[in-house]
mmCIF file with all atom_site columns, all heavy atoms in Angstrom:
data_model
loop_
_atom_site.group_PDB
_atom_site.id
_atom_site.type_symbol
_atom_site.label_atom_id
_atom_site.label_alt_id
_atom_site.label_comp_id
_atom_site.label_asym_id
_atom_site.label_entity_id
_atom_site.label_seq_id
_atom_site.pdbx_PDB_ins_code
_atom_site.Cartn_x
_atom_site.Cartn_y
_atom_site.Cartn_z
_atom_site.occupancy
_atom_site.B_iso_or_equiv
_atom_site.pdbx_formal_charge
_atom_site.auth_seq_id
_atom_site.auth_comp_id
_atom_site.auth_asym_id
_atom_site.auth_atom_id
_atom_site.pdbx_PDB_model_num
ATOM 1  N N   . LEU A 1 110 ? -52.741 36.562 -15.280 1.00 97.00 ? 576 LEU A N   1
ATOM 2  C CA  . LEU A 1 110 ? -53.918 36.769 -16.282 1.00 97.00 ? 576 LEU A CA  1
ATOM 3  C C   . LEU A 1 110 ? -54.847 35.588 -16.228 1.00 97.00 ? 576 LEU A C   1
ATOM 4  O O   . LEU A 1 110 ? -55.955 35.748 -16.347 1.00 97.00 ? 576 LEU A O   1
ATOM 5  C CB  . LEU A 1 110 ? -53.295 37.105 -17.690 1.00 97.00 ? 576 LEU A CB  1
ATOM 6  C CG  . LEU A 1 110 ? -52.550 38.403 -17.718 1.00 97.00 ? 576 LEU A CG  1
ATOM 7  C CD1 . LEU A 1 110 ? -51.798 38.571 -19.163 1.00 97.00 ? 576 LEU A CD1 1
ATOM 8  C CD2 . LEU A 1 110 ? -53.537 39.568 -17.661 1.00 97.00 ? 576 LEU A CD2 1
ATOM 9  N N   . SER A 1 111 ? -54.293 34.421 -16.287 1.00 96.00 ? 577 SER A N   1
ATOM 10 C CA  . SER A 1 111 ? -55.078 33.288 -16.273 1.00 96.00 ? 577 SER A CA  1
ATOM 11 C C   . SER A 1 111 ? -55.974 33.140 -15.048 1.00 96.00 ? 577 SER A C   1
ATOM 12 O O   . SER A 1 111 ? -57.081 32.446 -15.027 1.00 96.00 ? 577 SER A O   1
ATOM 13 C CB  . SER A 1 111 ? -54.410 31.972 -16.420 1.00 96.00 ? 577 SER A CB  1
ATOM 14 O OG  . SER A 1 111 ? -53.487 31.682 -15.311 1.00 96.00 ? 577 SER A OG  1
ATOM 15 N N   . LYS A 1 112 ? -55.600 33.784 -13.903 1.00 96.00 ? 578 LYS A N   1
ATOM 16 C CA  . LYS A 1 112 ? -56.260 33.584 -12.588 1.00 96.00 ? 578 LYS A CA  1
ATOM 17 C C   . LYS A 1 112 ? -57.257 34.778 -12.339 1.00 96.00 ? 578 LYS A C   1
ATOM 18 O O   . LYS A 1 112 ? -57.909 34.762 -11.392 1.00 96.00 ? 578 LYS A O   1
ATOM 19 C CB  . LYS A 1 112 ? -55.361 33.620 -11.493 1.00 96.00 ? 578 LYS A CB  1
ATOM 20 C CG  . LYS A 1 112 ? -54.323 32.459 -11.410 1.00 96.00 ? 578 LYS A CG  1
ATOM 21 C CD  . LYS A 1 112 ? -55.056 31.193 -10.826 1.00 96.00 ? 578 LYS A CD  1
ATOM 22 C CE  . LYS A 1 112 ? -55.287 31.374 -9.271  1.00 96.00 ? 578 LYS A CE  1
ATOM 23 N NZ  . LYS A 1 112 ? -55.833 30.220 -8.730  1.00 96.00 ? 578 LYS A NZ  1
ATOM 24 N N   . VAL A 1 113 ? -57.305 35.675 -13.419 1.00 97.00 ? 579 VAL A N   1
ATOM 25 C CA  . VAL A 1 113 ? -58.253 36.717 -13.213 1.00 97.00 ? 579 VAL A CA  1
ATOM 26 C C   . VAL A 1 113 ? -59.689 36.391 -12.971 1.00 97.00 ? 579 VAL A C   1
ATOM 27 O O   . VAL A 1 113 ? -60.431 36.785 -12.091 1.00 97.00 ? 579 VAL A O   1
ATOM 28 C CB  . VAL A 1 113 ? -58.224 37.759 -14.525 1.00 97.00 ? 579 VAL A CB  1
ATOM 29 C CG1 . VAL A 1 113 ? -59.371 38.762 -14.453 1.00 97.00 ? 579 VAL A CG1 1
ATOM 30 C CG2 . VAL A 1 113 ? -56.869 38.466 -14.494 1.00 97.00 ? 579 VAL A CG2 1
ATOM 31 N N   . PRO A 1 114 ? -60.250 35.430 -13.654 1.00 95.00 ? 580 PRO A N   1
ATOM 32 C CA  . PRO A 1 114 ? -61.686 34.982 -13.366 1.00 95.00 ? 580 PRO A CA  1
ATOM 33 C C   . PRO A 1 114 ? -61.822 34.355 -11.918 1.00 95.00 ? 580 PRO A C   1
ATOM 34 O O   . PRO A 1 114 ? -63.020 34.519 -11.353 1.00 95.00 ? 580 PRO A O   1
ATOM 35 C CB  . PRO A 1 114 ? -61.908 33.904 -14.453 1.00 95.00 ? 580 PRO A CB  1
ATOM 36 C CG  . PRO A 1 114 ? -61.033 34.087 -15.526 1.00 95.00 ? 580 PRO A CG  1
ATOM 37 C CD  . PRO A 1 114 ? -59.775 34.665 -14.858 1.00 95.00 ? 580 PRO A CD  1
ATOM 38 N N   . ASP A 1 115 ? -60.842 33.861 -11.337 1.00 96.00 ? 581 ASP A N   1
ATOM 39 C CA  . ASP A 1 115 ? -60.880 33.408 -9.984  1.00 96.00 ? 581 ASP A CA  1
ATOM 40 C C   . ASP A 1 115 ? -60.720 34.462 -8.898  1.00 96.00 ? 581 ASP A C   1
ATOM 41 O O   . ASP A 1 115 ? -61.184 34.241 -7.820  1.00 96.00 ? 581 ASP A O   1
ATOM 42 C CB  . ASP A 1 115 ? -59.767 32.199 -9.727  1.00 96.00 ? 581 ASP A CB  1
ATOM 43 C CG  . ASP A 1 115 ? -59.953 31.026 -10.626 1.00 96.00 ? 581 ASP A CG  1
ATOM 44 O OD1 . ASP A 1 115 ? -61.045 30.688 -11.021 1.00 96.00 ? 581 ASP A OD1 1
ATOM 45 O OD2 . ASP A 1 115 ? -59.014 30.487 -11.162 1.00 96.00 ? 581 ASP A OD2 1
ATOM 46 N N   . ASN A 1 116 ? -59.844 35.375 -9.228  1.00 97.00 ? 582 ASN A N   1
ATOM 47 C CA  . ASN A 1 116 ? -59.501 36.314 -8.146  1.00 97.00 ? 582 ASN A CA  1
ATOM 48 C C   . ASN A 1 116 ? -60.390 37.584 -8.130  1.00 97.00 ? 582 ASN A C   1
ATOM 49 O O   . ASN A 1 116 ? -60.502 38.281 -7.060  1.00 97.00 ? 582 ASN A O   1
ATOM 50 C CB  . ASN A 1 116 ? -58.069 36.808 -8.420  1.00 97.00 ? 582 ASN A CB  1
ATOM 51 C CG  . ASN A 1 116 ? -56.977 35.736 -8.017  1.00 97.00 ? 582 ASN A CG  1
ATOM 52 O OD1 . ASN A 1 116 ? -57.217 34.992 -7.148  1.00 97.00 ? 582 ASN A OD1 1
ATOM 53 N ND2 . ASN A 1 116 ? -55.901 35.704 -8.838  1.00 97.00 ? 582 ASN A ND2 1
ATOM 54 N N   . TYR A 1 117 ? -61.029 37.882 -9.235  1.00 97.00 ? 583 TYR A N   1
ATOM 55 C CA  . TYR A 1 117 ? -61.933 39.144 -9.253  1.00 97.00 ? 583 TYR A CA  1
ATOM 56 C C   . TYR A 1 117 ? -63.296 38.688 -9.364  1.00 97.00 ? 583 TYR A C   1
ATOM 57 O O   . TYR A 1 117 ? -63.755 37.637 -9.565  1.00 97.00 ? 583 TYR A O   1
ATOM 58 C CB  . TYR A 1 117 ? -61.438 39.949 -10.462 1.00 97.00 ? 583 TYR A CB  1
ATOM 59 C CG  . TYR A 1 117 ? -60.112 40.440 -10.314 1.00 97.00 ? 583 TYR A CG  1
ATOM 60 C CD1 . TYR A 1 117 ? -59.025 39.585 -10.735 1.00 97.00 ? 583 TYR A CD1 1
ATOM 61 C CD2 . TYR A 1 117 ? -59.788 41.700 -9.789  1.00 97.00 ? 583 TYR A CD2 1
ATOM 62 C CE1 . TYR A 1 117 ? -57.584 39.872 -10.535 1.00 97.00 ? 583 TYR A CE1 1
ATOM 63 C CE2 . TYR A 1 117 ? -58.345 42.058 -9.685  1.00 97.00 ? 583 TYR A CE2 1
ATOM 64 C CZ  . TYR A 1 117 ? -57.292 41.234 -9.989  1.00 97.00 ? 583 TYR A CZ  1
ATOM 65 O OH  . TYR A 1 117 ? -56.069 41.554 -9.899  1.00 97.00 ? 583 TYR A OH  1
ATOM 66 N N   . SER A 1 118 ? -64.162 39.723 -9.129  1.00 95.00 ? 584 SER A N   1
ATOM 67 C CA  . SER A 1 118 ? -65.733 39.581 -9.009  1.00 95.00 ? 584 SER A CA  1
ATOM 68 C C   . SER A 1 118 ? -66.210 38.881 -10.184 1.00 95.00 ? 584 SER A C   1
ATOM 69 O O   . SER A 1 118 ? -65.899 39.193 -11.410 1.00 95.00 ? 584 SER A O   1
ATOM 70 C CB  . SER A 1 118 ? -66.292 41.016 -8.905  1.00 95.00 ? 584 SER A CB  1
ATOM 71 O OG  . SER A 1 118 ? -67.804 40.785 -8.837  1.00 95.00 ? 584 SER A OG  1
ATOM 72 N N   . ARG A 1 119 ? -67.104 37.786 -9.989  1.00 94.00 ? 585 ARG A N   1
ATOM 73 C CA  . ARG A 1 119 ? -67.750 37.028 -11.070 1.00 94.00 ? 585 ARG A CA  1
ATOM 74 C C   . ARG A 1 119 ? -69.144 37.628 -11.318 1.00 94.00 ? 585 ARG A C   1
ATOM 75 O O   . ARG A 1 119 ? -69.918 37.015 -12.020 1.00 94.00 ? 585 ARG A O   1
ATOM 76 C CB  . ARG A 1 119 ? -67.788 35.522 -10.690 1.00 94.00 ? 585 ARG A CB  1
ATOM 77 C CG  . ARG A 1 119 ? -66.420 34.911 -10.664 1.00 94.00 ? 585 ARG A CG  1
ATOM 78 C CD  . ARG A 1 119 ? -66.508 33.454 -10.454 1.00 94.00 ? 585 ARG A CD  1
ATOM 79 N NE  . ARG A 1 119 ? -65.185 32.900 -10.597 1.00 94.00 ? 585 ARG A NE  1
ATOM 80 C CZ  . ARG A 1 119 ? -65.005 31.442 -10.581 1.00 94.00 ? 585 ARG A CZ  1
ATOM 81 N NH1 . ARG A 1 119 ? -66.098 30.661 -10.554 1.00 94.00 ? 585 ARG A NH1 1
ATOM 82 N NH2 . ARG A 1 119 ? -63.856 30.908 -10.725 1.00 94.00 ? 585 ARG A NH2 1
ATOM 83 N N   . SER A 1 120 ? -69.469 38.712 -10.568 1.00 95.00 ? 586 SER A N   1
ATOM 84 C CA  . SER A 1 120 ? -70.863 39.185 -10.724 1.00 95.00 ? 586 SER A CA  1
ATOM 85 C C   . SER A 1 120 ? -70.747 40.768 -10.886 1.00 95.00 ? 586 SER A C   1
ATOM 86 O O   . SER A 1 120 ? -69.608 41.295 -10.575 1.00 95.00 ? 586 SER A O   1
ATOM 87 C CB  . SER A 1 120 ? -71.779 38.935 -9.456  1.00 95.00 ? 586 SER A CB  1
ATOM 88 O OG  . SER A 1 120 ? -71.225 39.407 -8.253  1.00 95.00 ? 586 SER A OG  1
#
Side-chain angles (χ1 to χ4, degrees):
L576 290 171
S577 71
K578 295 279 289 183
V579 167
D581 298 326
N582 286 325
Y583 298 80
S584 178
R585 295 189 176 186
S586 59

